[in-house]
Amino acid sequence: MRQTHYLKKTLKTGDVKRIPFAADDFQEMGVPATLMAGMPELEAFQLLNKRNKNQRHQRFVYTLEWA
């Protein structure tokens, strides 16, 4: 299964933005950039876990959206 986007929730306001995976995201995870097909699920989880952990002061929560 592949994911074409992720959600970024601002903790202070509760606003949620739907963000498509960009070519830089694919490159960071070492997978070929297939924007139309999406990011492989494992790499998508790893990327978002990394973003959640690497915040100095947690302001955002990154997560995948499930249909």
Side-chain angles (χ1 to χ4, degrees), residues 6-12 47-63:
Y6 60 94
L7 302 176
K8 178 181 177 182
K9 180 178 181 180
T10 305
L11 293 176
K12 189 172 187 175
L47 178 65
L48 299 182
N49 284 337
K50 181 178 173 183
R51 289 187 179 168
N52 282 322
K53 285 188 339 184
N54 288 342
Q55 296 179 63
R56 190 170 192 138
H57 301 285
Q58 190 166 14
R59 296 177 10 190
F60 307 105
V61 173
Y62 298 94
T63 187

Side-chain angles (χ1 to χ4, degrees), residues 1-4 26 32 34 37-41:
M1 182 172 226
R2 293 180 170 261
Q3 300 290 326
T4 57
F26 288 92
T34 53
M39 174 87 70
E41 196 168 83

